[in-house]
Amino acid sequence: MSPLPRRRLGTSDLEVSALSLGSWHTYDRMDFADAVTMVRTAVDAGVNLFDVGVYGAPGMPPVFTDVIWSAIMRAARIPRERYLVSAKLWLEGFGDKGFRPQLENAFLRGGFDVADLVILGDLRRDDIALDDLVDDLAALTRDGLIRAWGVNNWSASNIRALQDVAAVKRVPGPQIAQLKYSIGRRAIPDGEPFARLFADGFAMQASDVLEGGILAGNSGQSREIGRDPGGVREEIKRHAQGVAEVAAKLGTSAARLAVAFTLTHPANVTTLFGATKLAQLEDNLAAVDLVDRVGADEIRALVEPFWADRGVIDPEGP
């Protein structure tokens, strides 16, 4: 298996691995020793970016996957300088003290004291000025608490507005957008509004790449998965068998083909996935070799018939 390539994240000084490992509904479903082995294997293979979110909310059942991740890293004895941490910050919790209380809670639960990257959650509030967000993130950067920041599923126009505010203030702006991107769900990252952002050096992190396991052949979901913009999930389910057949002709798995597809997007600096088994991790890691063997253009052509949200979703984004 080839070593994972690394790519620069926007104009920041961060170099991230082409594949990154997420924590949502993963480590709390694993045997602890198995999780340690899996994470150690990932780091040895070149994975250097871990997405670690605090997902508990008032009134919701407590979630501990980030706390477990912290224990995994200690048990695996992986030095902090060998990996980068990406933390989530939620706009629902942005108040008079900005994001700092959330960030400090993430530090407490995750066992780290600097977030190399923070990703702002979905923009669901209309009572927050973008200037306030940029100012707060600039202060966290100056204080050495974060190194770079980005957004999750924001529209291209709102990202451009953030960039404009940051440019006027002469402070760092957003470097990356975490976007749903898969064989079936690709209208936004492949659309013209984001293409213009990407042409200016903005980066993408592909997420939800297996559609909750559907594109890997798991048609019956037993856990919570991401939301379904455009209501195309049933269409993606109908296409899953076709994806598996293409993968079989290539001598690979559907999951590996799905991950490989995301690596063909030129602006995608890292593909985020979750794994609960060592075999899943190893299958996904081999996606890099699949792109090298088959070729990016050929992979995109083979899966073109399974694009489910074309003409359904506005490419501008949420």
Side-chain angles (χ1 to χ4, degrees):
M1 187 181 300
S2 302
L4 282 182
R6 292 189 178 178
R7 299 160 180 165
R8 185 167 298 279
L9 195 157
T11 60
S12 76
D13 62 353
L14 301 180
E15 290 195 349
V16 298
S17 51
L19 298 173
S20 45
L21 205 56
S23 65
W24 193 43
H25 296 294
T26 52
Y27 305 119
D28 46 4
R29 297 189 292 127
M30 296 183 68
D31 174 83
F32 184 76
D34 290 345
V36 171
T37 298
M38 186 185 76
V39 167
R40 187 182 290 125
T41 301
V43 173
D44 288 344
V47 173
N48 78 333
L49 180 61
F50 290 85
D51 182 291
V52 185
V54 179
Y55 293 106
M60 300 290 289
V63 179
F64 297 104
T65 192
D66 55 322
V67 179
I68 297 170
W69 173 83
S70 175
I72 290 168
M73 302 307 280
R74 291 195 303 272
R77 298 184 180 180
I78 301 171
R80 179 64 174 90
E81 59 270 18
R82 288 194 65 188
Y83 63 90
L84 305 172
V85 181
S86 174
K88 285 290 199 309
L89 296 176
W90 309 106
L91 272 71
E92 290 81 355
F94 185 82
D96 294 341
K97 296 182 179 180
F99 286 121
R100 189 176 294 256
Q102 283 191 60
L103 191 60
E104 290 175 347
N105 186 46
F107 291 167
L108 173 67
R109 293 172 61 95
F112 53 98
D113 54 13
V114 174
D116 301 287
L117 175 66
V118 293
I119 299 292
L120 308 190
D122 294 11
L123 182 59
R124 300 190 183 102
R125 291 177 59 179
D126 57 9
D127 61 336
I128 300 178
L130 297 185
D131 293 68
D132 293 340
L133 297 178
V134 172
D135 285 341
D136 191 69
L137 292 159
L140 295 175
T141 303
R142 286 194 300 270
D143 290 346
L145 300 179
I146 68 174
R147 297 175 63 191
W149 62 278
V151 296
N152 178 68
N153 294 326
W154 283 43
S155 69
S157 60
N158 279 326
I159 292 171
R160 186 70 76 181
L162 284 171
Q163 291 178 327
D164 292 343
V165 170
V168 169
K169 293 176 178 291
R170 299 181 182 273
V171 297
Q175 299 289 338
I176 191 168
Q178 191 179 96
L179 298 174
K180 291 177 179 289
Y181 191 60
S182 72
I183 287 172
R185 197 184 294 278
R186 47 186 279 204
I188 291 174
D190 282 355
E192 183 57 31
F194 268 94
R196 290 193 293 270
L197 281 173
F198 297 146
D200 291 338
F202 193 68
M204 176 175 80
Q205 180 181 46
S207 68
D208 297 273
V209 300
L210 297 177
E211 193 70 23
I214 293 171
L215 289 171
N218 302 324
S219 58
Q221 269 62 56
S222 59
R223 63 177 180 85
E224 184 180 359
I225 61 177
R227 60 189 180 87
D228 180 18
V232 299
R233 184 159 292 145
E234 290 304 314
E235 182 75 5
I236 293 173
K237 286 182 180 179
R238 287 190 287 271
H239 288 164
Q241 181 58 39
V243 173
E245 290 170 0
V246 170
K249 290 178 182 177
L250 294 173
T252 191
S253 70
R256 190 181 304 178
L257 175 60
V259 174
F261 165 76
T262 68
L263 298 175
T264 67
H265 193 296
N268 180 32
V269 295
T270 184
T271 290
L272 177 65
F273 67 88
T276 57
K277 296 181 177 65
L278 180 61
Q280 291 175 335
L281 170 73
E282 293 173 336
D283 195 26
N284 291 348
L285 289 174
V288 174
D289 289 333
L290 180 61
V291 176
D292 290 341
R293 175 168 66 86
V294 178
D297 291 343
E298 180 67 11
I299 287 175
R300 294 184 74 86
L302 288 170
V303 302
E304 183 79 9
F306 311 123
W307 183 353
D309 70 345
R310 176 164 39 191
V312 176
I313 292 292
D314 180 0
E316 159 68 11

